[in-house]
Amino acid sequence: MTAVGAASVGYAASLVLMERLVELTPHDIQGQSLGLHTSGMLTLQGAGAALAGAVAQHTSAATAMAVMAALSVAVSLALTPGLRTRAPAPAVPVPRPVICRPVGPQRAVPP
């Protein structure tokens, strides 16, 4: 049950980070940024599993899990100071271009 609680806390933390990503991304590209975020997470989860497997081949499964847990804590601690800084103001939406009709002599339309 403890593992489920720890996993839930970790997932809840990722939701706060995703909300911050949405706030800092211009509205027009929010879908693209979330897609890139998800692709990166899935890729790095696979790379982490491969690294854990490589460590387990040279040591034991318990050692590999301990090494990966230590790496996870180290990365989290290294990234935390950057997350504690005050978030910059949300991105200002880019104004959409105004479509104008060509300017020039107008032809009279016959009745």
Side-chain angles (χ1 to χ4, degrees):
M1 197 61 158
T2 304
V4 172
S8 298
V9 170
Y11 181 72
S14 71
L15 292 176
V16 173
L17 294 175
M18 194 173 295
E19 180 182 6
R20 187 170 179 185
L21 174 66
V22 169
E23 287 176 359
L24 297 174
T25 306
H27 182 71
D28 292 348
I29 60 169
Q30 284 179 354
Q32 293 171 341
S33 67
L34 288 174
L36 183 61
H37 171 284
T38 303
S39 296
M41 290 291 289
L42 290 172
T43 301
L44 291 177
Q45 285 174 353
L51 178 62
V55 172
Q57 281 185 338
H58 297 294
T59 61
S60 66
T63 302
M65 288 191 302
V67 167
M68 295 308 290
L71 284 174
S72 177
V73 169
V75 168
S76 296
L77 290 175
L79 294 176
T80 298
L83 296 174
R84 287 189 180 169
T85 60
R86 189 169 171 215
V92 177
V94 178
R96 299 204 182 265
V98 177
I99 300 174
C100 298
R101 296 179 186 233
V103 178
Q106 297 180 0
R107 290 190 254 167
V109 178

